[in-house]
Amino acid sequence: MERLRFFATTVIGLEDIAAKEVENLLNGKVELDMGRIVFEGRPTDIYLLNLKARTINKVFIQLCHSKFVNLEDIYKLAKSLDYTWIINPEQSFAVRTQRLGLHNFTSMDVSRVVGQAIIDAYTDAARKRLKVNLDAPDVEIYCLVRDDEFLMGINTTGSSLHKRQYRVYNHPAALKPTIASAMLKIGGYSSESFMLDPMCGGATIPIEAALEARRIPPGKWRSDFAFLKLKVCSPREFEKFRAEILAEEDLKNSPVIHAMEKSAKHLKGGMENAKKAGVYETINFKLGDATRVEDYPDVKFDLIVVNPPYGLRANPKEGVRRLYESFLKTLRTKFTDATLVLITAASKRFKEAAESVGVAVIDERKIWHGELLTSIFTCKT
Ligand SMILES: C[S@@+](CC[C@H](N)C(=O)[O-])C[C@H]1O[C@@H](n2cnc3c(N)ncnc32)[C@H](O)[C@@H]1O
């Protein structure tokens, strides 16, 4: 079967976690780049990754990766490609460009030049002028211009996979599910783990754990994948594939997953999200304060994964340090030798709190959560 070159985008700082996940899913080698991973696969891997991958944002079929000097080079590179195997003559397309570095042209210029090159190449090959539709194209072409590097690919995903369909309650400080899933992987989560999120908010972390434990693919609820319109994919083949993947679900598995939250409103919202994700009955929800030993469930947890407040909104920074200290003290009192995986943008405050309480930080990994530089800490209680 034909092999394709792919790249997939992920959160900057989580490339190795995404690479490992894709290596496991495809049983092949994956290379790392900044904010993306690169690999080879079969056309059907488009279905597999979009349905099952938990830590990537979008999957692209790579069309071109080359050095360039000026816009004319970019035109020549894009014009030299064959698009007839991927776009039907009656389909519309759009080019979206991301530009990083210093150039004497804009990202709009790149989109315009590449768009013209695609029209010219298609007209030469198939005697048909393709339509451009910038608002709702059938096929979206992505270009990255980074310094003297030009990368071009076809978006097989559509909108990012981090937008899980189960989020009916939007917590104001919700964590991206792809990051939640990566944190679980960092903590070595398995369906055998005794896992707790003691500040669960909208329950992203416990829901991602339950989906993983029950082998429920996070793309299960999506029907708007961009690949459904690509010439290399077939909706019928996808339906068959999807049915096979859904047959792997293990809905009888009862993992030990607990979620605690001090706000009744957020707890209720988290429960709604869990219901929508079909994992409500696998998660033990509890109203409680993570700084109070007596509020914790009487379970010997071995993994605590948490996204506490960063102190950027309501709490001033000193307040957040006090919260971190009192939370870590409580964890130390209640659990010995548990792994704690915690994400925060207030990394200095967290490190000060960990040091003053005597919690050992084993690892700190910097990642971008949207516009915010955050750290994922791995600690032992
Ligand atoms: C950043 S949010 C968590 C968001 C969540 N990960 C999500 O994706 O929806 C932090 C949550 O911690 C809760 N919280 C703050 N202090 C707490 C405490 N002492 N005990 C329990 N929950 C607390 C807040 O109410 C808030 O919902």
Side-chain angles (χ1 to χ4, degrees):
M1 198 192 242
E2 182 196 355
R3 301 287 288 173
L4 295 172
R5 191 143 180 89
F6 294 104
F7 61 92
T9 48
T10 186
V11 170
I12 295 178
L14 291 178
E15 296 88 348
D16 58 325
I17 306 282
K20 213 165 166 190
E21 182 187 25
V22 171
E23 280 184 350
N24 287 338
L25 285 171
L26 303 190
N27 215 359
K29 194 87 201 79
V30 176
E31 294 159 35
L32 306 189
D33 191 356
M34 198 180 52
R36 66 182 44 77
I37 54 174
V38 186
F39 48 94
E40 283 192 357
R42 297 158 304 175
T44 50
D45 292 334
I46 295 172
Y47 311 140
L48 182 88
L49 292 175
N50 278 295
L51 273 174
K52 285 181 98 171
R54 300 178 195 275
T55 61
I56 59 179
N57 290 331
K58 293 184 185 181
V59 183
F60 298 85
I61 301 170
Q62 183 170 308
L63 296 177
C64 169
H65 190 202
S66 177
K67 296 273 181 205
F68 77 97
V69 176
N70 51 32
L71 271 181
E72 209 177 296
D73 287 347
I74 290 184
Y75 175 84
K76 281 187 196 148
L77 286 167
K79 169 78 173 22
S80 69
L81 303 174
D82 174 21
Y83 300 93
T84 54
W85 64 280
I86 202 129
I87 313 180
N88 273 318
E90 69 282 358
Q91 285 185 312
S92 63
F93 77 98
V95 181
R96 318 254 191 239
T97 301
Q98 192 186 5
R99 194 182 59 79
L100 303 168
L102 288 173
H103 303 100
N104 61 358
F105 51 78
T106 65
S107 54
M108 300 260 279
D109 292 328
V110 177
S111 296
R112 180 177 44 76
V113 162
V114 172
Q116 190 59 53
I118 293 172
I119 290 173
D120 293 348
Y122 209 94
T123 309
D124 287 355
R127 301 263 146 255
K128 172 82 190 163
R129 189 185 164 90
L130 286 177
K131 294 184 293 278
V132 173
N133 180 342
L134 297 182
D135 298 324
D138 294 317
V139 179
E140 188 185 287
I141 316 271
Y142 166 81
C143 295
L144 170 75
V145 170
R146 187 172 55 185
D147 301 321
D148 62 348
E149 182 189 353
F150 175 63
L151 175 70
M152 195 176 164
I154 304 262
N155 182 356
T156 74
T157 304
S159 66
S160 176
L161 295 173
H162 83 265
K163 293 185 183 152
R164 309 279 207 251
Q165 312 289 303
Y166 60 71
R167 211 174 249 173
V168 284
Y169 174 72
N170 268 312
H171 187 285
L175 185 65
K176 279 192 180 156
T178 39
I179 299 178
S181 182
M183 287 170 71
L184 289 159
K185 289 184 192 300
I186 289 168
Y189 177 76
S190 82
S191 57
E192 311 291 307
S193 302
F194 283 43
M195 205 284 295
L196 165 72
D197 177 355
M199 301 190 215
C200 73
T204 314
I205 296 169
I207 291 171
E208 288 297 316
L211 293 177
E212 167 100 46
R214 289 192 153 186
R215 308 183 68 180
I216 299 174
K220 172 177 180 172
W221 301 276
R222 259 185 89 153
S223 56
D224 64 344
F225 288 117
F227 63 73
L228 290 167
K229 289 190 177 166
L230 296 182
K231 217 173 156 180
V232 276
C233 298
S234 133
R236 261 183 59 195
E237 188 183 43
F238 169 57
E239 272 319 314
K240 212 175 129 242
F241 211 84
R242 189 175 178 277
E244 280 168 22
I245 287 174
L246 293 184
E248 292 169 9
E249 285 185 350
D250 184 4
L251 301 182
K252 290 205 188 79
N253 192 352
S254 303
V256 180
I257 302 172
H258 287 246
M260 193 160 82
E261 165 63 51
K262 75 167 189 189
S263 148
K265 180 178 160 212
H266 295 327
L267 190 75
K268 188 166 169 283
M271 289 173 172
E272 292 307 319
N273 287 341
K275 278 179 197 158
K276 181 75 181 172
V279 292
Y280 174 63
E281 75 291 354
T282 58
I283 302 173
N284 300 277
F285 284 95
K286 185 176 191 297
L287 195 63
D289 184 335
T291 62
R292 288 163 52 95
V293 176
E294 58 276 29
D295 283 6
Y296 279 74
D298 205 12
V299 176
K300 203 175 171 309
F301 294 107
D302 51 28
L303 179 62
I304 296 146
V305 185
V306 65
N307 166 216
Y310 301 163
L312 299 174
R313 294 163 210 255
N315 314 35
K317 295 223 160 165
E318 264 315 308
V320 102
R321 184 184 154 170
R322 272 202 300 277
L323 169 69
Y324 291 174
E325 260 183 26
S326 139
F327 167 56
L328 290 175
K329 259 188 211 147
T330 309
L331 285 189
R332 283 208 80 176
T333 316
K334 182 87 188 146
F335 311 106
T336 45
D337 213 26
T339 300
L340 166 69
V341 181
L342 179 145
I343 184 167
T344 180
S347 44
K348 191 164 158 271
R349 306 279 158 182
F350 178 77
K351 280 187 274 193
E352 286 165 2
E355 200 183 324
S356 85
V357 174
V359 165
V361 173
I362 298 166
D363 184 52
E364 176 183 2
R365 163 196 290 267
K366 299 258 183 223
I367 70 151
W368 285 96
H369 185 202
E371 304 283 287
L372 217 53
L373 183 61
T374 56
S375 292
I376 297 178
F377 290 99
T378 308
C379 308
K380 273 282 174 198
T381 58

